[in-house]
Amino acid sequence: TRENSGVHATAFAIPLWADLAAIGIGGTQGAMFAAQFRDRRLDLLGVAIIGIVSGFGGGMIRDVLLARLPAALTSNWYLLVAVGGALIGMLLESVLQRLGIVMTVLDALTIGLYCAIGTTKALALGVPAVPAVFVGVLSAVGGSILRDLLLNLPIALMHVGSLYAIAAVVGASTLVALHALGVPIFLAALLCVAVTFGVRVLAVLFRWSLPEQRRIER
Amino acid sequence: TRENSGVHATAFAIPLWADLAAIGIGGTQGAMFAAQFRDRRLDLLGVAIIGIVSGFGGGMIRDVLLARLPAALTSNWYLLVAVGGALIGMLLESVLQRLGIVMTVLDALTIGLYCAIGTTKALALGVPAVPAVFVGVLSAVGGSILRDLLLNLPIALMHVGSLYAIAAVVGASTLVALHALGVPIFLAALLCVAVTFGVRVLAVLFRWSLPEQRRIER
Amino acid sequence: TRENSGVHATAFAIPLWADLAAIGIGGTQGAMFAAQFRDRRLDLLGVAIIGIVSGFGGGMIRDVLLARLPAALTSNWYLLVAVGGALIGMLLESVLQRLGIVMTVLDALTIGLYCAIGTTKALALGVPAVPAVFVGVLSAVGGSILRDLLLNLPIALMHVGSLYAIAAVVGASTLVALHALGVPIFLAALLCVAVTFGVRVLAVLFRWSLPEQRRIER
């Protein structure tokens, strides 16, 4: 039932430095997030673990679902950068908190990049359009799910919020639609990053959110 | 140490429509389950996610353990049907609640189908009898585990209840025993569905449950 | 970007009986741990599940990350031994509690064995040094993470404690360093077990722990 079995996309490969920058930012933000829970007595290892899952948890979920060896296990840099990012996030937390908007912008860029990488990787392996969007979204948000599970917190993603995952859904859908229309994969991926970034930043600025669950009353 | 390395079973393939029906029912029930937690402010995406993991979370765990690309990533239909089922479950919750017994029956059928699919798929890949039962049971109940993890609830499966997983254990064991005795895989799979279904429905009707943990006192 | 692509290590293979002994001890300890939570009404299946994830959850995470069929699915013995260990742990809990130091010693040995098996398996598949340490540590502690997730408890590993995971980090790092220096893999693995064991036991005896998270105050 492979519906895309003809010509496949090639995965959108970004330079290693850009990949590592995204992972470092993810690690830093994970540690800053964990710092809110000082009463939970996280030790240094706990902070490093949060940095690791925030940094490349999404990429690991992506590769496990695609039955591939995770990219993060193919080079020494991923883990070192994620842990380094986490230590910076922990030590400089009070400084970074004042850069709130900068961090939100960097985070939105990171979601967009991971979404584009995940969606194109799935397409390149012959995954059809709808599950390719699913893989792209999980790449973008999987790290935050693992982070919340490990911290024993409600999964932020599940609750009324600022379109974190929806931004990735819109971006990944844009990508597969453009790909289906014959747009070159590199251009489609760039637009995916831009759309994801735009939806996320606008949602934060204008406090957009999805409606809560409701039923048809009678 | 493959103990089944001779002639392998073929996986019990059911028509795509039956597979999708099971996923749709899973998605609907996931959303109805989530509707109990209105105070948690799940948004529409949260409901869709619960539908997705309830619908094919078990199948994903099965395929990840078997190191195969998940079936749900090979066609557009799985995700669409799971999300559609979840929306129906959310919107029509008050109607569906009155169909309690119908939903329990459909759910028992779904567990049985997933158990048979998972067990035969494992056998077909050369997995020995005992771990094949394990894979079949995880296929049947993995979705409910993921659902509870994402909703930050106690894992229902772990606690004294109505033989949800045990029904799958009995069904899958029946299947591997019949297969070892030379019964054709299709017939063994049908009996697995029937046994799983029967144990689950009878357990609900007669409130059967396993004893709680206890120790030898001295 | 494989950095180890030359001559690979071979995985440190231990005899099946030693592997199963480790899994049985893991299952027993998992059930003893679960017995603290009698108020949670775990049923017998719940105890068996805790035994299974404590016994070979780490090995499953290891093999899933390495995109290999989990070892536990290749023989009937793993599941039977893990469940058997869990039943013994449940029934004989009051006796075993008095053997506290024996259990701690056996547990430290088990962590060391799993750490060595996981690290060498990763190296044998061409994973570079840093992620090989990561895989080894996850092999050693993954079961306890899954156990805590399933019991809806705070993840013990994340919090200030007795160097459970750090012992594995030190042991796995020793192994990859010795391997890089040309020490035969079997000897490096034995030293990994010894170092992991030593750090863990000394940490329990002298109550060593990592510092809590902190930031640079200003």
Side-chain angles (χ1 to χ4, degrees), chain A residues 59-182:
Chain A
M60 287 238 235
I61 292 177
R62 173 197 70 205
D63 292 335
V64 164
L65 280 186
L66 294 173
R68 287 289 177 284
L69 188 70
L73 298 188
T74 62
S75 155
N76 289 322
W77 288 108
Y78 291 85
L79 270 152
L80 295 176
V81 168
V83 171
L87 290 179
I88 289 171
M90 185 186 74
L91 293 171
L92 302 184
E93 188 227 336
S94 50
V95 180
L96 292 169
Q97 289 294 14
R98 266 170 259 154
L99 301 173
I101 187 64
V102 176
M103 292 307 286
T104 298
V105 165
L106 287 175
D107 184 45
L109 198 60
T110 303
I111 304 172
L113 277 172
Y114 276 101
C115 183
I117 296 172
T119 309
T120 55
K121 190 164 186 176
L123 289 172
L125 290 168
V127 172
V130 177
V133 170
F134 177 71
V135 171
V137 174
L138 260 186
S139 305
V141 303
S144 84
I145 296 177
L146 290 180
R147 178 199 70 194
D148 293 340
L149 279 177
L150 288 180
L151 288 170
N152 217 17
L153 295 170
I155 312 296
L157 195 69
M158 307 289 301
H159 303 283
V160 173
S162 305
L163 304 195
Y164 195 84
I166 288 292
V169 172
V170 176
S173 302
T174 304
L175 195 161
V176 298
L178 292 173
H179 174 60
L181 294 171

Side-chain angles (χ1 to χ4, degrees), chain C residues 157-170:
Chain C
L157 196 68
M158 307 289 301
H159 303 282
V160 174
S162 305
L163 304 196
Y164 195 84
I166 288 293
V169 171
V170 176

